[in-house]
Amino acid sequence: MRALPPARSPRWTTLAALVTTGALLTACGSGSDDTGSGKPRSGGTLTFAVGSDAGCVDPQQVGSNDTIYSVRQVVDSLTDQDPRTGKIVPWLARSWDISADATAFTFHLRSGVTFSDGSPLTAQVVKENFDAVPKLGVLGTLAEGYLSGVRSTTVVDPLTVKVTFRQPNAQFLQATSTHSLGIESSASVKRSPQQKCSDGVVGSGPFVLKQYVQNQSITLAKRKDYAWGSSRWAKKGEAYLDRLVFKVVPEAGVRAGSLRSGQVDAIGSVGRADEAALKGGPVTLQRRANPGIVFGLGFNNARPVLKDARVRRAIRSAVDRKQIADTVFPTGTRPATSVLAHTTPDYTDLGTDLAFDPAKAKSLLDAAGWKAGGDGVRTKDGKRLSLTIDWVPNAATNQPALELIQQQLKAVGVQVTLKQLQLPQLTPIQQSGQYDAIWGNITRADPDILRSSFSTKLANFYRVPAGGLDTTLAAQAATTDPAERGRLVERAQRSIVRDAYNVPVVELQTQLGLSTKVHSLAFDASSRIQLHDTWIG
């Protein structure tokens, strides 16, 4: 079934501009994202090695790329986002209408869509999904943020659903393209969040979950009757591949060796240390910069030491971003120049504010009353200036990057302890507030990710104090004027960087290693992967 173009509401052009960005795609390795030589053919198994397992196989609750790669294939979304232009295009919704004030979004669904349990896609099912998302709990905060401020989801007719917000919500159209708002069957929606995490969900996607063995593997099988893919996809109907197997292989060197030897067909999180070896074999490297919040230190701004903006700013100035990007991360990784990556719409270059300046860092700490101690660690009122950074080993770059930060902060008198967590522990610890700083990033191809992360009206994991930033973040989500939204997003970035609520370090660049047998493995707008068009030959 061929997707129809979206209806043009009076504000469609305006809202399309809000989610559009140019030059999203970075240079890729040779041939891995086109059809290559030969004719595409059906069949076969793609084996993909990833570094970690989130401990959950519900797309609406998963935030780690290593698991998103697999579970994304199980669910479809109402819309899709073109990774090259940022434009929102049809998927489960063949068209949509948006009210003049961007408070109401009406989606006209495709007919004939079914979930893998045989039940049909209807407006009622979409309503059930959106009504249930705010009840997901600790792991569903990203999806909840996309629906914050919703007044109602209404069934207009069996294939028409209307979502109404209490105030203008410019980000919502793009949110409907994300995996976090992937549509699940009515039966799945009725399961508890814990059941969905452990047992998986029933989606309408091109693949179905066959087996999940925690910390070992996720296995998917092709849906034979699939016929309603995104309008972006080249192939109509069912996928080429019969099976997808995602194996958890924590060691980066083992993943690279497995790819070179042909034991796996693709690997994630290719680091700088493995690039040279992989380039020498039957392998291509494919990379794309992730939009959204860059890798950095998310502070708990309520901690006594970190309540002082001078301490936070000192840490910001003590970090040598270029050294970290050039030493640890894959070729082409950019040092952070804002809290947002440069591929995010309405990004503002604040590189001057993020300049490496250890002398300034020392001066700020002096002014805050932290005096240099005999062992190099500063003290104040008998207490040492110490900081614990929590992190998870879901990327090979995490530990060496943090070890460099540890050295850089020690040079200005800040003692850093690195605390490794398992991935499922991270969100509960964020929610509890029992941490000093957390190393991480959040990917989204819309600047509203700033509101999701830093507004005190939402989860407020970083314990940011209420103030003018809240007003700015709320205003950018409400305006329908793209120029005004850009100004507000710039103001928010400047506020976050100026007050050092977060210390941006490097832009995450997703780099995959692919066997030359793998063709048409495509990145989506959030630099995750879509495997419907992928084939092996």
Side-chain angles (χ1 to χ4, degrees):
M1 182 181 202
R2 188 176 183 276
L4 299 175
R8 301 284 172 167
S9 71
R11 291 289 178 171
W12 163 248
T13 303
T14 296
L15 286 172
L18 294 178
V19 293
T20 299
T21 180
L24 279 171
L25 193 65
T26 65
C28 294
S30 60
S32 53
D33 64 341
D34 56 35
T35 57
S37 59
K39 183 179 179 181
R41 58 190 182 190
S42 297
T45 297
L46 176 76
T47 303
F48 197 120
V50 297
S52 63
D53 172 33
C56 180
V57 282
D58 176 15
Q60 294 178 353
Q61 299 184 73
V62 170
S64 171
N65 281 355
D66 281 350
T67 303
I68 292 169
Y69 290 159
S70 56
V71 299
R72 183 40 163 149
Q73 318 308 317
V74 174
V75 292
D76 298 318
S77 298
L78 292 179
T79 65
D80 201 358
Q81 185 175 13
D82 190 306
R84 288 180 170 83
T85 67
K87 181 180 178 182
I88 304 301
V89 299
W91 196 342
L92 291 180
R94 57 181 175 81
S95 63
W96 48 85
D97 304 299
I98 304 166
S99 66
D101 63 354
T103 60
F105 298 75
T106 303
F107 297 93
H108 306 282
L109 305 178
R110 298 174 68 156
S111 61
V113 176
T114 61
F115 295 93
S116 60
D117 62 3
S119 62
L121 170 72
T122 64
Q124 177 62 32
V125 175
V126 176
K127 171 180 167 56
E128 290 172 1
N129 272 261
F130 289 174
D131 286 351
V133 160
K135 305 169 188 175
L136 284 174
V138 64
L139 294 181
T141 53
L142 193 57
E144 289 174 35
Y146 295 161
L147 286 166
S148 65
V150 68
R151 183 187 299 276
S152 64
T153 301
T154 306
V155 174
V156 178
D157 63 43
L159 291 177
T160 307
V161 61
K162 182 177 182 179
V163 185
T164 305
F165 291 86
R166 296 185 184 90
Q167 59 187 16
N169 194 348
Q171 63 85 33
F172 182 63
L173 186 61
Q174 191 276 337
T176 64
S177 73
T178 65
H179 73 279
S180 300
L181 293 186
I183 305 300
E184 302 171 1
S185 75
S186 181
S188 280
V189 171
K190 291 178 173 63
R191 296 176 182 170
S192 71
Q194 295 76 21
Q195 285 177 310
K196 295 204 298 178
C197 264
S198 60
D199 301 336
V201 303
V202 174
S204 64
F207 292 89
V208 297
L209 177 67
K210 300 302 289 186
Q211 185 181 45
Y212 171 47
V213 182
Q214 189 167 353
N215 294 320
Q216 293 186 36
S217 65
I218 296 174
T219 302
L220 310 178
K222 174 170 68 175
R223 274 197 72 180
K224 300 287 188 181
D225 58 348
Y226 187 80
W228 41 82
S230 164
S231 58
R232 287 200 309 110
W233 299 350
K235 188 180 187 300
K236 304 305 176 185
E238 65 185 41
Y240 287 113
L241 293 165
D242 288 335
R243 277 169 38 104
L244 306 173
V245 179
F246 291 82
K247 294 184 175 181
V248 180
V249 182
E251 300 82 8
V254 175
R255 291 198 301 273
S258 298
L259 179 59
R260 280 184 56 88
S261 67
Q263 296 177 66
V264 301
D265 305 301
I267 62 173
S269 302
V270 176
R272 181 181 290 268
D274 297 310
E275 287 178 351
L278 288 175
K279 287 178 181 177
V283 173
T284 61
L285 297 179
Q286 187 168 324
R287 63 175 70 100
R288 188 178 188 276
N290 286 35
I293 293 177
V294 300
F295 253 117
L297 300 177
F299 287 142
N300 180 345
N301 290 273
R303 288 293 212 209
V305 169
L306 293 170
K307 279 185 177 180
D308 190 333
R310 293 169 297 185
V311 174
R312 302 195 304 268
R313 289 167 181 156
I315 293 171
R316 179 193 64 195
S317 296
V319 175
D320 187 344
R321 294 160 182 81
K322 188 175 188 306
Q323 182 190 35
I324 295 167
D326 291 349
T327 304
V328 174
F329 286 85
T331 301
T333 298
R334 293 172 55 145
T337 49
S338 176
V339 63
L340 293 177
H342 77 281
T343 51
T344 315
D346 295 321
Y347 149 87
T348 297
D349 187 344
L350 302 175
T352 301
D353 297 319
L354 294 173
F356 174 51
D357 191 342
K360 180 178 179 181
K362 292 175 181 178
S363 177
L364 284 164
L365 293 174
D366 287 341
W370 291 96
K371 305 301 181 184
D375 61 354
V377 178
R378 291 173 178 261
T379 60
K380 180 181 179 180
D381 300 330
K383 296 182 179 180
R384 294 164 67 82
L385 181 52
S386 62
L387 180 73
T388 297
I389 301 174
D390 291 357
W391 66 284
V392 295
N394 61 338
T397 50
N398 287 350
Q399 184 169 348
L402 287 169
E403 288 172 347
L404 268 179
I405 290 173
Q406 187 179 42
Q407 295 172 21
Q408 292 168 0
L409 295 187
K410 183 178 180 181
V412 301
V414 181
Q415 181 182 50
V416 171
T417 300
L418 303 179
K419 180 182 177 183
Q420 180 177 329
L421 305 174
Q422 294 307 306
L423 192 56
Q425 296 176 284
L426 187 61
T427 301
I429 284 178
Q430 274 189 305
Q431 187 181 50
S432 72
Q434 298 304 307
Y435 72 94
D436 295 332
I438 288 178
W439 173 253
N441 79 300
I442 308 176
T443 296
R444 188 184 177 191
D446 190 278
D448 193 64
I449 194 64
L450 294 176
R451 184 176 63 95
S452 303
S453 301
F454 296 102
S455 171
T456 67
K457 308 301 183 183
L458 299 176
N460 197 18
F461 281 155
Y462 304 119
R463 306 304 194 269
V464 176
L469 178 59
D470 284 327
T471 303
T472 302
L473 292 172
Q476 66 79 31
T479 183
T480 59
D481 180 346
E484 176 62 13
R485 191 185 192 210
R487 287 190 288 271
L488 290 165
V489 171
E490 177 180 350
R491 185 187 304 168
Q493 290 171 81
R494 291 188 183 279
S495 175
I496 292 165
V497 170
R498 179 196 65 223
D499 291 325
Y501 295 133
N502 165 287
V503 172
V505 178
V506 296
E507 294 189 1
L508 174 64
Q509 178 176 260
T510 296
Q511 181 164 245
L512 309 177
L514 307 177
S515 164
T516 52
K517 298 185 300 181
V518 177
H519 306 282
S520 298
L521 190 151
F523 284 121
D524 67 14
S526 295
S527 299
R528 280 88 181 228
I529 58 175
Q530 180 50 251
L531 298 173
H532 175 271
D533 288 350
T534 305
W535 57 281
I536 292 180

